[in-house]
Amino acid sequence: MPKRLILLFLFVLSIGRAVAEAQPAVPGAFDTKAAQAFMIEGSTGTILLAKNEDQPISPASLAKLMTLDVIYDAVRRGEISLDTEYPVSENAWRTGGAPSRASTMFAALKSRVRVGDLIQGVAVQQANDSCIVLAEGLSVSEREFARRMTARAREIGMPRATFTNSTGLPDANDPNSGGKISMRELVTLAQDLQLKHTDLYKYFGQADFTWNKIYQRNKNPLLLLNIGVDGLGLGFAEGEGFSIVASVERDGRRLFLALGGLKSDKERTEETRRVLEWGLSNFRSQRLFSGSEVIGDASVYGGAQSTVSLEAKIPVDVYVPIDTPDRLSARIVYRWPLSAPVVTGYEAGTLRVFLGARLVRELPLYTKESVARGTLSRRAFDAFMELAESLLFSWLWDKPLPS
């Protein structure tokens, strides 16, 4: 088959670190001025750019994206509605309102504000008072709301992100205040906001809003460039520089991007535009497997048959550079061997797709059929083979394999 000329399959016997993680990344021809960067193509999850993507940084005002994710989720589940009203406490007014001289929607002390208006205050103006009012309204205290933010992060696939308040504002007495987050996790958050809350995501791209007779423009300068950007937020932290999370859609293709460690507001805008234009102009889609196609086999211990077929359930597409000498390859990683009985649809392993030495896509693989337990003699033979193969191939475990 032609695909087999394109893809090299290495079935990795692994009980520890993934082989892909053991291989050093090879820098591509494109680089960015950002100290940290991560960009993916939305429909396939293909990684287009990665640079210190797992390095934790202060989220600064980008923490407000998680505040909105928690609020959006509460609206979706019916816990609150856009017409729910929350009071403006003295803490919210003094810390994030007019007296703070920071981003604010100018909510009046002891007034009550609709959740829908507060959401616009955060999404359009990145208003600190809006965040605090939402946090106190939903969870009584900001501290309790921050715990909910961190818990929500875990739910949507952000393994290390932590939050200590709803705004990302630092505490002068606590250098660790505001939390930590990585570029990879920020992209995960952006995806969740855009994919799961499509009706509320639109607020990020709203050019302006007027509330209580106060007119305010969207703080995101990318919206004015007419390149398809429709969100999401900006950040700045002392000692770490300027950061951004952006999403762009053009010609049916959506990219999610997070950049950190930029030197100025101007550099942030220019670099974000440059990276997004590169991502939109220099890649093409390539299908590797159909959704029902058998991608490989996994060994089964003690089964009526010795292997089981694996499939991805969805088409395996990747976005690859239009002009590149690097070759696509793929690896199946699973805990060897599977133990019978094996049911149909069991998540048995992972398919990892590489462009050269760089991991560009990772997705789960499932068993295509079931495997019943084998006879006693079959299980005894498999036990012997498992012991022999583990001794014979143990030197391969946890080591890079040649491509």
Side-chain angles (χ1 to χ4, degrees):
M1 295 174 62
K3 293 188 182 71
R4 299 193 182 277
L5 298 178
I6 301 173
L7 299 176
L8 171 65
F9 291 96
L10 297 174
F11 292 80
V12 181
L13 311 180
S14 175
I15 58 173
R17 245 182 8 251
V19 168
E21 296 169 349
Q23 291 188 337
V26 177
F30 183 87
D31 197 10
T32 172
K33 296 176 182 178
Q36 305 90 22
F38 192 65
M39 181 168 66
I40 67 168
E41 193 280 324
S43 65
T44 65
T46 302
I47 300 170
L48 308 183
L49 178 66
K51 180 181 179 181
N52 298 322
E53 67 275 17
D54 294 314
Q55 179 181 330
I57 66 166
S58 301
S61 286
L62 294 176
K64 296 166 186 175
L65 299 180
M66 180 53 73
T67 291
L68 284 182
D69 195 85
V70 172
I71 296 298
Y72 286 4
D73 184 61
V75 172
R76 181 182 61 82
R77 292 184 295 100
E79 183 178 355
I80 59 175
S81 75
L82 297 182
D83 290 323
T84 300
E85 292 186 348
Y86 287 144
V88 180
S89 68
E90 182 170 353
N91 174 57
W93 176 75
R94 193 172 300 281
T95 305
S100 70
R101 299 182 181 276
S103 297
T104 177
M105 70 179 291
F106 299 100
L109 176 63
K110 297 183 179 179
S111 65
R112 298 182 68 85
V113 187
R114 290 177 62 254
V115 166
D117 294 325
L118 292 166
I119 285 174
Q120 289 186 84
V122 182
V124 177
Q125 184 57 209
Q126 297 198 168
N128 294 310
D129 53 353
S130 302
C131 290
I132 300 171
V133 172
L134 286 167
E136 293 177 341
L138 189 65
S139 299
V140 181
S141 72
E142 240 198 313
R143 183 179 296 273
E144 182 59 33
F145 185 80
R147 294 193 187 99
R148 186 163 176 169
M149 292 169 71
T150 301
R152 175 67 181 165
R154 299 295 176 272
E155 288 177 18
I156 65 175
M158 301 164 64
R160 300 181 185 87
T162 57
F163 302 90
T164 60
N165 58 47
S166 64
T167 62
L169 290 171
D171 184 336
N173 299 317
D174 182 5
N176 294 317
S177 62
K180 292 293 181 181
I181 200 167
S182 68
M183 296 298 109
R184 187 193 299 271
E185 290 173 318
L186 284 166
V187 165
T188 297
L189 175 55
Q191 285 183 282
D192 193 78
L193 286 163
Q194 194 273 325
L195 295 172
K196 295 182 182 177
H197 310 290
T198 53
D199 54 334
L200 297 172
Y201 177 81
K202 63 185 179 183
Y203 289 118
F204 290 111
Q206 188 172 313
D208 52 55
F209 82 111
T210 300
W211 176 81
N212 199 25
K213 299 182 180 179
I214 301 172
Y215 173 81
Q216 293 180 308
R217 290 185 179 276
N218 198 306
K219 298 190 72 173
N220 189 345
L222 275 298
L223 298 178
L224 302 176
L225 301 181
N226 296 319
I227 60 173
V229 170
D230 54 15
L232 298 154
L234 311 171
F236 170 76
E238 289 289 346
E240 295 183 344
F242 293 79
S243 55
I244 187 170
V245 176
S247 184
V248 61
E249 184 177 28
R250 188 192 297 173
D251 300 328
R253 181 181 305 179
R254 179 172 288 277
L255 306 183
F256 294 94
L257 169 68
L259 298 176
L262 292 158
K263 296 177 181 178
S264 67
D265 185 25
K266 182 174 183 289
E267 182 177 75
R268 174 173 59 191
T269 300
E270 292 175 349
E271 188 66 359
T272 302
R273 178 173 188 166
R274 188 177 76 91
V275 173
L276 289 175
E277 289 287 4
W278 170 77
L280 289 166
S281 304
N282 290 274
F283 290 82
R284 60 181 174 83
S285 177
Q286 182 170 333
R287 174 152 296 181
L288 305 183
F289 299 99
S290 66
S292 60
E293 186 172 351
V294 173
I295 293 178
D297 298 315
S299 298
V300 178
Y301 163 71
Q305 58 193 59
S306 59
T307 62
V308 63
S309 299
L310 301 177
E311 63 178 356
K313 289 189 176 181
I314 60 173
V316 181
D317 297 331
V318 293
Y319 271 76
V320 295
I322 294 171
D323 183 18
T324 177
D326 293 329
R327 184 179 58 161
L328 279 171
S329 63
R331 290 175 181 161
I332 292 176
V333 182
Y334 68 98
R335 186 177 293 275
W336 173 88
L338 305 180
S339 296
V342 177
V343 298
T344 303
Y346 171 69
E347 186 175 332
T350 302
L351 177 68
R352 289 177 174 165
V353 182
F354 295 83
L355 184 65
R358 183 167 63 87
L359 178 67
V360 294
R361 189 171 184 194
E362 186 172 13
L363 68 164
L365 294 178
Y366 303 89
T367 53
K368 196 173 178 65
E369 66 273 340
S370 61
V371 178
R373 294 189 69 185
T375 62
L376 181 62
S377 60
R378 176 75 190 193
R379 297 200 301 273
F381 177 77
D382 282 356
F384 169 77
M385 291 301 296
E386 181 186 12
L387 175 62
E389 290 177 359
S390 66
L391 292 174
L392 180 62
F393 295 110
S394 61
W395 63 275
L396 286 175
W397 290 348
D398 222 19
K399 297 178 185 292
L401 293 179
S403 58

